[in-house]
């Protein structure tokens, strides 16, 4: 979706290194989310934000942190990447009563 | 948010209507039903949502039973491009919405 940009689109990193994924939106949506998706599985919520500097944990938050210093940007950081964090990461935004709008995803490989 | 149950897979002939069921027997009065689909490895795409009335848009129709314990997404004239995983989720409309995506239904449209 043109209103959400995820970067990078692909990344390979080594075990133990920190990694930051960026989600940028131009929709001015209040809510932003980070999901991960593994082969054969649905989407699992990592963290979400309900406003600038307001974030909370999802169902699989261990090993991840987030920050939202302005409305348009939501950063996901893997503090020390592990092979179990190899996945496709999707960012999503949502206005108050609407559905989610998802980005195109970031494919992360931890070797 | 209430949990949902969907069949893991369905087939549909091209040009025929695809009817995808979703059970949400524990839905609360203030929870909406949302449908999304994910084509191959793309980010999920919002399709439609509703509270208790049937809804229709350019993509699909949503039929919600009177007791709101189940719903059906209808693709009136399925095409090969409708082959995807379809997710049904329920959530409160006005909170941050920690939505859980289950495994969804894999719809295969066959020529």
């Amino acid at each position: 979706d043109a209103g959400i940009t995820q970067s990078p689109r692909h990344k390979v990193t080594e075990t133990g290194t920190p990694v930051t994924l960026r989600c940028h939106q131009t929709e001015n949506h209040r809510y932003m989310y980070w999901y991960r998706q593994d082969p054969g599985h649905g989407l699992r919520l990592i963290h979400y934000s309900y406003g600038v500097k307001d974030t909370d944990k999802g169902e699989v938050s261990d090993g991840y942190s987030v920050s939202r210093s302005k409305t348009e940007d939501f950063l996901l950081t893997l503090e020390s990447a592990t092979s179990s964090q190899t996945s496709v990461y999707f960012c999503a935004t949502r206005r108050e009563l609407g559905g989610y709008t998802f980005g195109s995803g970031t494919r992360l490989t931890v070797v | 948010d209430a949990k949902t149950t969907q069949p893991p897979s369905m087939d549909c002939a091209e040009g025929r209507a695809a009817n995808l069921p979703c059970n949400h027997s524990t839905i609360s009065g203030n929870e909406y039903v949302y449908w999304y689909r994910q084509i191959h490895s793309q980010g999920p795409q919002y399709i439609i949502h509703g509270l208790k009335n049937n809804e229709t848009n350019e993509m699909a129709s949503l039929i919600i039973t009177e007791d709101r314990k189940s719903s059906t997404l209808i693709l009136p004239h399925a095409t090969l491009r409708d082959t995807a995983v379809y997710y049904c989720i329920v959530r409160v409309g006005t909170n941050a919405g920690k939505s859980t995506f289950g495994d969804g239904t894999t719809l295969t449209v066959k020529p």
Side-chain angles (χ1 to χ4, degrees), chain A residues 59-80:
Chain A
E59 58 184 311
V60 290
S61 60
D62 287 347
Y64 301 94
S65 62
V66 290
S67 66
R68 192 170 178 198
S69 59
K70 46 187 178 178
T71 299
E72 55 266 36
D73 289 327
F74 193 33
L75 304 181
L76 176 71
T77 297
L78 289 65
E79 293 141 11
S80 177

PDB file of all heavy atoms in Angstrom, chain A residues 59-80:
ATOM      1  N   GLU A  59       1.458 -10.600  21.628  1.00  0.00           N
ATOM      2  CA  GLU A  59       1.582 -11.985  22.101  1.00  0.00           C
ATOM      3  C   GLU A  59       2.989 -12.568  21.993  1.00  0.00           C
ATOM      4  O   GLU A  59       3.305 -13.542  22.681  1.00  0.00           O
ATOM      5  CB  GLU A  59       0.593 -12.869  21.344  1.00  0.00           C
ATOM      6  CG  GLU A  59       0.762 -12.847  19.852  1.00  0.00           C
ATOM      7  CD  GLU A  59      -0.295 -13.660  19.127  1.00  0.00           C
ATOM      8  OE1 GLU A  59      -0.534 -14.811  19.510  1.00  0.00           O
ATOM      9  OE2 GLU A  59      -0.868 -13.129  18.139  1.00  0.00           O
ATOM     10  N   VAL A  60       3.857 -11.989  21.155  1.00  0.00           N
ATOM     11  CA  VAL A  60       5.205 -12.544  20.973  1.00  0.00           C
ATOM     12  C   VAL A  60       6.241 -11.430  21.078  1.00  0.00           C
ATOM     13  O   VAL A  60       7.062 -11.234  20.194  1.00  0.00           O
ATOM     14  CB  VAL A  60       5.332 -13.298  19.642  1.00  0.00           C
ATOM     15  CG1 VAL A  60       4.536 -14.576  19.658  1.00  0.00           C
ATOM     16  CG2 VAL A  60       4.925 -12.419  18.465  1.00  0.00           C
ATOM     17  N   SER A  61       6.251 -10.702  22.174  1.00  0.00           N
ATOM     18  CA  SER A  61       7.085  -9.512  22.302  1.00  0.00           C
ATOM     19  C   SER A  61       8.505  -9.783  22.823  1.00  0.00           C
ATOM     20  O   SER A  61       9.362  -8.897  22.716  1.00  0.00           O
ATOM     21  CB  SER A  61       6.397  -8.508  23.220  1.00  0.00           C
ATOM     22  OG  SER A  61       6.198  -9.084  24.511  1.00  0.00           O
ATOM     23  N   ASP A  62       8.769 -10.952  23.370  1.00  0.00           N
ATOM     24  CA  ASP A  62      10.098 -11.219  23.930  1.00  0.00           C
ATOM     25  C   ASP A  62      11.185 -11.080  22.875  1.00  0.00           C
ATOM     26  O   ASP A  62      11.099 -11.666  21.801  1.00  0.00           O
ATOM     27  CB  ASP A  62      10.151 -12.627  24.526  1.00  0.00           C
ATOM     28  CG  ASP A  62       9.374 -12.733  25.827  1.00  0.00           C
ATOM     29  OD1 ASP A  62       9.018 -11.665  26.386  1.00  0.00           O
ATOM     30  OD2 ASP A  62       9.135 -13.859  26.287  1.00  0.00           O
ATOM     31  N   GLY A  63      12.221 -10.316  23.185  1.00  0.00           N
ATOM     32  CA  GLY A  63      13.335 -10.121  22.271  1.00  0.00           C
ATOM     33  C   GLY A  63      13.159  -8.954  21.324  1.00  0.00           C
ATOM     34  O   GLY A  63      14.042  -8.677  20.508  1.00  0.00           O
ATOM     35  N   TYR A  64      12.013  -8.260  21.439  1.00  0.00           N
ATOM     36  CA  TYR A  64      11.712  -7.121  20.578  1.00  0.00           C
ATOM     37  C   TYR A  64      11.396  -5.879  21.421  1.00  0.00           C
ATOM     38  O   TYR A  64      10.835  -5.992  22.508  1.00  0.00           O
ATOM     39  CB  TYR A  64      10.490  -7.393  19.700  1.00  0.00           C
ATOM     40  CG  TYR A  64      10.576  -8.579  18.786  1.00  0.00           C
ATOM     41  CD1 TYR A  64      10.072  -9.819  19.182  1.00  0.00           C
ATOM     42  CD2 TYR A  64      11.119  -8.459  17.515  1.00  0.00           C
ATOM     43  CE1 TYR A  64      10.128 -10.917  18.345  1.00  0.00           C
ATOM     44  CE2 TYR A  64      11.169  -9.548  16.658  1.00  0.00           C
ATOM     45  CZ  TYR A  64      10.663 -10.775  17.089  1.00  0.00           C
ATOM     46  OH  TYR A  64      10.712 -11.853  16.239  1.00  0.00           O
ATOM     47  N   SER A  65      11.748  -4.729  20.887  1.00  0.00           N
ATOM     48  CA  SER A  65      11.319  -3.471  21.474  1.00  0.00           C
ATOM     49  C   SER A  65      10.855  -2.555  20.359  1.00  0.00           C
ATOM     50  O   SER A  65      11.186  -2.778  19.192  1.00  0.00           O
ATOM     51  CB  SER A  65      12.442  -2.808  22.280  1.00  0.00           C
ATOM     52  OG  SER A  65      13.537  -2.504  21.440  1.00  0.00           O
ATOM     53  N   VAL A  66      10.076  -1.547  20.699  1.00  0.00           N
ATOM     54  CA  VAL A  66       9.558  -0.621  19.693  1.00  0.00           C
ATOM     55  C   VAL A  66       9.685   0.802  20.199  1.00  0.00           C
ATOM     56  O   VAL A  66       9.830   1.050  21.398  1.00  0.00           O
ATOM     57  CB  VAL A  66       8.077  -0.901  19.348  1.00  0.00           C
ATOM     58  CG1 VAL A  66       7.925  -2.205  18.577  1.00  0.00           C
ATOM     59  CG2 VAL A  66       7.220  -0.891  20.601  1.00  0.00           C
ATOM     60  N   SER A  67       9.611   1.725  19.264  1.00  0.00           N
ATOM     61  CA  SER A  67       9.570   3.138  19.617  1.00  0.00           C
ATOM     62  C   SER A  67       8.737   3.881  18.586  1.00  0.00           C
ATOM     63  O   SER A  67       8.736   3.539  17.407  1.00  0.00           O
ATOM     64  CB  SER A  67      10.979   3.733  19.681  1.00  0.00           C
ATOM     65  OG  SER A  67      11.591   3.741  18.411  1.00  0.00           O
ATOM     66  N   ARG A  68       8.045   4.893  19.094  1.00  0.00           N
ATOM     67  CA  ARG A  68       7.250   5.743  18.211  1.00  0.00           C
ATOM     68  C   ARG A  68       7.391   7.184  18.703  1.00  0.00           C
ATOM     69  O   ARG A  68       6.670   7.624  19.592  1.00  0.00           O
ATOM     70  CB  ARG A  68       5.787   5.312  18.204  1.00  0.00           C
ATOM     71  CG  ARG A  68       4.991   5.982  17.084  1.00  0.00           C
ATOM     72  CD  ARG A  68       3.649   5.370  16.957  1.00  0.00           C
ATOM     73  NE  ARG A  68       2.851   6.023  15.928  1.00  0.00           N
ATOM     74  CZ  ARG A  68       1.543   5.927  15.828  1.00  0.00           C
ATOM     75  NH1 ARG A  68       0.875   5.200  16.718  1.00  0.00           N
ATOM     76  NH2 ARG A  68       0.900   6.540  14.875  1.00  0.00           N
ATOM     77  N   SER A  69       8.317   7.891  18.081  1.00  0.00           N
ATOM     78  CA  SER A  69       8.609   9.267  18.488  1.00  0.00           C
ATOM     79  C   SER A  69       7.772  10.280  17.716  1.00  0.00           C
ATOM     80  O   SER A  69       7.671  11.444  18.118  1.00  0.00           O
ATOM     81  CB  SER A  69      10.096   9.565  18.300  1.00  0.00           C
ATOM     82  OG  SER A  69      10.461   9.371  16.945  1.00  0.00           O
ATOM     83  N   LYS A  70       7.185   9.863  16.600  1.00  0.00           N
ATOM     84  CA  LYS A  70       6.272  10.723  15.851  1.00  0.00           C
ATOM     85  C   LYS A  70       5.216   9.848  15.184  1.00  0.00           C
ATOM     86  O   LYS A  70       5.417   8.637  15.013  1.00  0.00           O
ATOM     87  CB  LYS A  70       7.020  11.580  14.826  1.00  0.00           C
ATOM     88  CG  LYS A  70       8.048  10.853  13.995  1.00  0.00           C
ATOM     89  CD  LYS A  70       8.825  11.849  13.143  1.00  0.00           C
ATOM     90  CE  LYS A  70       9.894  11.143  12.328  1.00  0.00           C
ATOM     91  NZ  LYS A  70      10.640  12.090  11.455  1.00  0.00           N
ATOM     92  N   THR A  71       4.119  10.459  14.832  1.00  0.00           N
ATOM     93  CA  THR A  71       2.959   9.712  14.332  1.00  0.00           C
ATOM     94  C   THR A  71       3.310   8.800  13.178  1.00  0.00           C
ATOM     95  O   THR A  71       2.831   7.675  13.074  1.00  0.00           O
ATOM     96  CB  THR A  71       1.849  10.682  13.902  1.00  0.00           C
ATOM     97  OG1 THR A  71       1.445  11.458  15.019  1.00  0.00           O
ATOM     98  CG2 THR A  71       0.642   9.946  13.337  1.00  0.00           C
ATOM     99  N   GLU A  72       4.151   9.279  12.269  1.00  0.00           N
ATOM    100  CA  GLU A  72       4.377   8.562  11.017  1.00  0.00           C
ATOM    101  C   GLU A  72       5.369   7.414  11.097  1.00  0.00           C
ATOM    102  O   GLU A  72       5.431   6.604  10.193  1.00  0.00           O
ATOM    103  CB  GLU A  72       4.785   9.544   9.914  1.00  0.00           C
ATOM    104  CG  GLU A  72       5.981  10.410  10.231  1.00  0.00           C
ATOM    105  CD  GLU A  72       5.593  11.754  10.821  1.00  0.00           C
ATOM    106  OE1 GLU A  72       4.596  11.804  11.598  1.00  0.00           O
ATOM    107  OE2 GLU A  72       6.285  12.748  10.547  1.00  0.00           O
ATOM    108  N   ASP A  73       6.157   7.320  12.160  1.00  0.00           N
ATOM    109  CA  ASP A  73       7.199   6.289  12.215  1.00  0.00           C
ATOM    110  C   ASP A  73       7.046   5.365  13.412  1.00  0.00           C
ATOM    111  O   ASP A  73       6.851   5.810  14.542  1.00  0.00           O
ATOM    112  CB  ASP A  73       8.582   6.934  12.260  1.00  0.00           C
ATOM    113  CG  ASP A  73       8.969   7.577  10.946  1.00  0.00           C
ATOM    114  OD1 ASP A  73       8.566   7.052   9.886  1.00  0.00           O
ATOM    115  OD2 ASP A  73       9.676   8.602  10.977  1.00  0.00           O
ATOM    116  N   PHE A  74       7.185   4.071  13.144  1.00  0.00           N
ATOM    117  CA  PHE A  74       7.115   3.051  14.191  1.00  0.00           C
ATOM    118  C   PHE A  74       8.272   2.094  13.949  1.00  0.00           C
ATOM    119  O   PHE A  74       8.328   1.440  12.911  1.00  0.00           O
ATOM    120  CB  PHE A  74       5.764   2.334  14.108  1.00  0.00           C
ATOM    121  CG  PHE A  74       5.422   1.474  15.288  1.00  0.00           C
ATOM    122  CD1 PHE A  74       5.834   1.798  16.573  1.00  0.00           C
ATOM    123  CD2 PHE A  74       4.644   0.334  15.121  1.00  0.00           C
ATOM    124  CE1 PHE A  74       5.486   1.016  17.665  1.00  0.00           C
ATOM    125  CE2 PHE A  74       4.280  -0.463  16.210  1.00  0.00           C
ATOM    126  CZ  PHE A  74       4.701  -0.119  17.473  1.00  0.00           C
ATOM    127  N   LEU A  75       9.212   2.063  14.884  1.00  0.00           N
ATOM    128  CA  LEU A  75      10.425   1.270  14.717  1.00  0.00           C
ATOM    129  C   LEU A  75      10.354  -0.006  15.547  1.00  0.00           C
ATOM    130  O   LEU A  75       9.921   0.005  16.705  1.00  0.00           O
ATOM    131  CB  LEU A  75      11.650   2.083  15.158  1.00  0.00           C
ATOM    132  CG  LEU A  75      11.860   3.436  14.486  1.00  0.00           C
ATOM    133  CD1 LEU A  75      13.117   4.096  15.022  1.00  0.00           C
ATOM    134  CD2 LEU A  75      11.939   3.280  12.973  1.00  0.00           C
ATOM    135  N   LEU A  76      10.795  -1.085  14.950  1.00  0.00           N
ATOM    136  CA  LEU A  76      10.886  -2.378  15.646  1.00  0.00           C
ATOM    137  C   LEU A  76      12.359  -2.749  15.746  1.00  0.00           C
ATOM    138  O   LEU A  76      13.049  -2.805  14.728  1.00  0.00           O
ATOM    139  CB  LEU A  76      10.128  -3.459  14.870  1.00  0.00           C
ATOM    140  CG  LEU A  76      10.230  -4.874  15.438  1.00  0.00           C
ATOM    141  CD1 LEU A  76       9.441  -4.987  16.741  1.00  0.00           C
ATOM    142  CD2 LEU A  76       9.711  -5.898  14.409  1.00  0.00           C
ATOM    143  N   THR A  77      12.836  -3.006  16.965  1.00  0.00           N
ATOM    144  CA  THR A  77      14.232  -3.363  17.180  1.00  0.00           C
ATOM    145  C   THR A  77      14.344  -4.766  17.766  1.00  0.00           C
ATOM    146  O   THR A  77      13.657  -5.088  18.744  1.00  0.00           O
ATOM    147  CB  THR A  77      14.920  -2.359  18.121  1.00  0.00           C
ATOM    148  OG1 THR A  77      14.912  -1.062  17.501  1.00  0.00           O
ATOM    149  CG2 THR A  77      16.368  -2.761  18.396  1.00  0.00           C
ATOM    150  N   LEU A  78      15.170  -5.558  17.126  1.00  0.00           N
ATOM    151  CA  LEU A  78      15.563  -6.851  17.678  1.00  0.00           C
ATOM    152  C   LEU A  78      16.857  -6.594  18.439  1.00  0.00           C
ATOM    153  O   LEU A  78      17.875  -6.241  17.843  1.00  0.00           O
ATOM    154  CB  LEU A  78      15.794  -7.871  16.570  1.00  0.00           C
ATOM    155  CG  LEU A  78      14.576  -8.401  15.818  1.00  0.00           C
ATOM    156  CD1 LEU A  78      13.867  -7.333  15.014  1.00  0.00           C
ATOM    157  CD2 LEU A  78      14.966  -9.579  14.945  1.00  0.00           C
ATOM    158  N   GLU A  79      16.791  -6.720  19.727  1.00  0.00           N
ATOM    159  CA  GLU A  79      17.914  -6.282  20.560  1.00  0.00           C
ATOM    160  C   GLU A  79      19.171  -7.112  20.305  1.00  0.00           C
ATOM    161  O   GLU A  79      20.277  -6.597  20.277  1.00  0.00           O
ATOM    162  CB  GLU A  79      17.485  -6.341  22.026  1.00  0.00           C
ATOM    163  CG  GLU A  79      16.392  -5.323  22.373  1.00  0.00           C
ATOM    164  CD  GLU A  79      15.347  -5.853  23.338  1.00  0.00           C
ATOM    165  OE1 GLU A  79      15.549  -6.943  23.912  1.00  0.00           O
ATOM    166  OE2 GLU A  79      14.313  -5.180  23.528  1.00  0.00           O
ATOM    167  N   SER A  80      19.019  -8.391  20.123  1.00  0.00           N
ATOM    168  CA  SER A  80      20.124  -9.296  19.815  1.00  0.00           C
ATOM    169  C   SER A  80      19.523 -10.433  18.987  1.00  0.00           C
ATOM    170  O   SER A  80      18.955 -11.377  19.525  1.00  0.00           O
ATOM    171  CB  SER A  80      20.744  -9.831  21.109  1.00  0.00           C
ATOM    172  OG  SER A  80      21.774 -10.763  20.828  1.00  0.00           O
TER     173      SER A  80
END
